[in-house]
Structure formats: structure tokens, C-alpha cells
Amino acid sequence: MIEFRGVNKWFGALHVLKDITLSIEPREVVVICGPSGSGKSTLIRCVNGLETTKDGDLIVDGQRVGDPATNMTDLRAEIGFVFQSFNLYPHKTALENVTLAPIHVRKIARSTAEAAGRELLARVGLADKFNAYPSELSGGQQQRVAIARCLCMRPKIMLFDEPTSALDPEMISEVLDVMVSVAEEGMTMMVVTHEMGFARKVAQRVVFMDAGGIVESGTPEDFFSHPKTDRSRAFLSKILRH
Amino acid sequence: MLENFSFRTIAEYLPLFGHGFLATLWLSVVSFAGALAVGIVLCAMNLQRSRLSKVPAKIYIDAIRATPLLAQLYFLYFGLPRLGIVLPELVVGILALSLNSGAYIAEIIRAGILSIARGQVEAGIASGMTYMQRMRLVVLPQAFRVTIPPLLGQAIVLVKDSALLSLISVSELTRAGQLLASDRFMPAEGFITTAACYLILYYGLKGLAALSGRWLGSQPMRSRT
């Protein structure tokens, strides 16, 4: 479903992605972790072309990202992206946020989109917030709207870029619960997160990145219990200490 | 002092001031509409990646902002006929105001668009919107709110700048004051009446600004994300 073959990327002189090779199957949930600055966010931002790559191949849903022959807006419509800072549209209500792209990108009739939007907002526990503006919602509620906004496009792939990092601790689980339910429905997911409970629960694979490269990958059980490299051991000891 | 001040003469000249008031009002409205059009085009050119479109817009904006409006007006009024283009005074005046104010408005709109967080644009991109859809549905509605107060400020400047058109004998408010001053040798009466009329226009625009502010205040504000 998503395939990186020898992908490299530079920010100026900085080599941020080093020869990434990674293949993600349909319905697979992959958690990407690693120290800050290791290139995790850049990696998933490449998948929907928010970042461009220098060389190597990146094939998503059978199409080559960055190829002039690939219609990127069509491809992006198939890929949901959840941001660390939510990025809801502040001038739109929760329901309008959820239905905007389905109506204008998918060209779905407004009434159909709104029915789907209400159903999805109810599913993420916001049945009473259809007409609330983002500024009237808590961080956890905003992030759940953001997830519903992606789901309303009926995507084939969902990407999460540190979805709980900007949240107060008591709001993290309400967002993770929604993500778990999405994963359990068989969505193909790439999730940048340090929430190891989430990884253990739903991920088939954990990929550990450091300094722009993939250092190690394996099942959550293996990775957490028997990290193979010094760098992953050092990282795990830091995030699991508290 | 006031015994020399002739209210009767002012009353006598009121129809002339009424005419001037309306002239200033409508030529300001037309010029502002023109300035908005110029500003939107310049701003769009300035926001493109291509230097071919960006550089001319930047040079134009700099040239307008660096030179006095009076010089621009005289260039159009005296210069264009020498180049074989003869236009009526009123058209020259409206053209000068539109071209001048447009440069400032381009910068106001650009600031409004650039004030929209990068994350908003990325959310639009990620959901598969085209550039035009992102602009229309996400960026411009938010930029519009930020832009209204400085645009009204620019409108007030434009109304006062329109006084310069009296120098190319467009009959507007300042011209009415000049006529009263020179016909009857009463500069105090003439220009105070002119000033009072500008004050009325100013308060009209200020009221409009307050109204739009109240309307914007009742709308949901940008969230701090």
C-alpha cells in the first residue's frame, strides 16, 4: 500500500531521510517512533506529498508520489492526515470542518455529506458538538473532529503525525480510543507517536528511526522487550523511565 | 473675530458644496473599487513563485510607495497627453487614486493572507483541495476578517487624497472651498466648510468600520493553534 524504496531527502545541507526502504501492507498499522529530529514526521509527510523527496521511489496506492503523471490532489483525497496541532478550520463549525472536503473535493451532495458527518462526529463522541466552532472545543475534542474530518473522505490510508503530543494528559486517551477503533476496522495506518500502549494494542510493527534512518523495526512485543540496538535501548529507557 | 465670518455666504454656496460632497463621495467609491481590483491583481502576482510575475509587482508597489501622489497625478495629467493619450480630468483623477491606493491595498491583502497559519493551508492540501479551493474555502475567508479594518483605514486615506484632484480642476469638495475662497475672498469660510464635509465623510467611514468590527466580533475568532 505504501512503499519507500531508497528514499532520500535533504533540508539544505541536512540529510533528513537517509535511504529509507519500508513497505506497508494494506490494513497494516505501523507505529514510527524515535528521538526528536529523527525524521519521523518528515517521513509520513512525504507519503501525501506535503514534503518532496530527492531521490528513490515512493509508491502509494499504486501511484508514484512526485511523478508528474500522478494526480496528487486525487491521491491525497485517499489519504487522511491528522496533524499534531489539529489544524481545524477556525471559521467553520465542527460539522462544516468534517463535510468541507467531501462536498468540494469528493463532490458529494451536501445532505449526504452532512448525514455522514453527523454519524462520524457521533462515533467519535461529539454528537452534541455539531455546531461548535473549534475555539469552543478542548484539544482532545478538536483532535477527534480532525479524525472525523479525515474519515468522512473514506480514505484508504490514515497518517497520524504525533496526534496526542499537543494534548493535556487527561485528553490523550479519548483520542487514542478513537484511533484504536479506526485501526480495528482495518484501516492502513502510519502513526508517529510515543504512546507505547497504543503501539502494543494495535500496531503490527514498530519502526524506530534515528538521525534520518530506520534503525530497527519489529513487532511491538519484540521491540519493547528485546530492542536490538544501543540507540533503541537508550531511547526506550528514556521514554519508559517515568 | 466672528463678526467677519459670513455664514450667509456659506449658505449661499451650500449647493456648490453639496455637489462637491457628492462628487468626492462617488469618485472615492469608484477609485476605491478600482484600487481593490488593482490591489488584488498585484497581490496575486506578488504571491506567485515565478519571478516573472513577482518582480514587476514588487517594482510597481515600491515605485508607487516611494513617490508622492501629487507627482503621480501630474505625470498622468501632463505626461500622458505628451505620449498621445488624452483623457478627461475626472478619469485621470480616478486612475491616479486607483493606481496609487492599489499598491497599498496589495500589501494589506498580502499581510492578511500571510497571517493565516501554514497549518491551515496544509490541512487543505492534505484533504485533496486544489490551490483555488484552498484559497476560496480556507485562506481568503479567514484573511478577509483580518483585512477589513486596515482596508477601511486605507479608504479614509483615499478620501483625503482625493482633495489633490482639485489641482487638475476636478470639481469636488476642495475645489468648492477654493471657489468660495477666490470668488469672495473668504478662505476661512471656504476651507472650514470643506473640512466639515470631509469630517462627515470620515465619521461615515468610521461608523462603517465600527459596524464591520461588531459584525466580525460576533463571528467566531481564530483559534490559537
Side-chain angles (χ1 to χ4, degrees), chain B residues 100-135:
Chain B
N100 176 274
S101 221
Y104 294 91
I105 286 177
E107 291 294 273
I108 290 172
I109 299 175
R110 191 168 76 107
I113 289 176
L114 294 183
S115 75
I116 304 307
R118 175 75 196 151
Q120 290 292 309
V121 178
E122 288 190 347
I125 294 175
S127 66
M129 289 184 196
T130 61
Y131 176 82
M132 290 308 283
Q133 285 174 329
R134 260 152 34 216
M135 275 292 170

Side-chain angles (χ1 to χ4, degrees), chain B:
Chain B
M1 185 187 103
L2 261 185
E3 57 263 31
N4 293 329
F5 195 88
S6 168
F7 287 100
R8 234 184 46 185
T9 317
I10 292 177
E12 205 180 305
Y13 271 76
L14 266 188
L16 181 67
F17 280 101
H19 173 81
F21 182 89
L22 290 178
T24 291
L25 184 64
W26 83 258
L27 75 83
S28 295
V29 169
V30 173
S31 301
F32 193 71
L36 269 180
V38 171
I40 288 168
V41 170
L42 279 175
C43 175
M45 287 171 70
N46 204 354
L47 286 175
Q48 299 308 307
R49 281 225 186 101
S50 152
R51 281 167 161 258
L52 213 63
S53 116
K54 206 185 191 97
V55 171
K58 280 194 188 302
I59 291 175
Y60 177 87
I61 291 169
D62 283 346
I64 292 287
R65 298 214 297 180
T67 54
L69 173 57
L70 185 59
Q72 296 158 16
L73 183 66
Y74 278 169
F75 168 76
L76 292 176
Y77 187 65
F78 296 113
L80 283 188
R82 296 295 295 268
L83 301 174
I85 305 164
V86 184
L87 298 169
E89 290 97 5
L90 198 57
V91 176
V92 170
I94 288 171
L95 201 63
L97 288 176
S98 301
L99 293 176
N100 176 274
S101 221
Y104 294 91
I105 286 177
E107 291 294 273
I108 290 172
I109 299 175
R110 191 168 76 107
I113 289 176
L114 294 183
S115 75
I116 304 307
R118 175 75 196 151
Q120 290 292 309
V121 178
E122 288 190 347
I125 294 175
S127 66
M129 289 184 196
T130 61
Y131 176 82
M132 290 308 283
Q133 285 174 329
R134 260 152 34 216
M135 275 292 170
R136 183 165 59 86
L137 301 169
V138 178
V139 176
L140 291 181
Q142 295 183 60
F144 185 61
R145 282 158 209 235
V146 203
T147 311
I148 284 187
L151 276 183
L152 276 163
Q154 184 60 35
I156 290 169
V157 170
L158 189 147
V159 169
K160 292 187 296 176
D161 280 351
S162 73
L164 286 177
L165 302 199
S166 64
L167 294 172
I168 59 169
S169 58
V170 171
S171 61
E172 41 69 76
L173 262 179
T174 304
R175 185 77 186 143
Q178 283 170 351
L179 284 176
L180 172 52
S182 56
D183 287 358
R184 302 287 179 93
F185 305 106
M186 287 180 178
E189 285 83 350
F191 290 117
I192 277 198
T193 313
T194 294
C197 290
Y198 280 116
L199 206 63
I200 294 170
L201 284 173
Y202 170 76
Y203 276 116
L205 280 170
K206 222 178 143 188
L208 213 60
L211 264 179
S212 78
R214 208 176 313 156
W215 177 72
L216 291 174
S218 69
Q219 300 290 106
M221 287 285 105
R222 291 159 50 78
S223 63
R224 312 286 315 162
T225 52

Side-chain angles (χ1 to χ4, degrees), chain A residues 92-97 114 118 121 126-137 145, chain B residues 220:
Chain A
K92 303 271 182 201
T93 63
L95 186 60
E96 288 167 346
N97 263 280
E114 282 178 354
R118 285 199 189 90
L121 283 172
L126 295 170
D128 54 340
K129 300 288 184 189
F130 294 158
N131 297 317
Y133 284 92
S135 55
E136 299 162 341
L137 298 173
V145 174

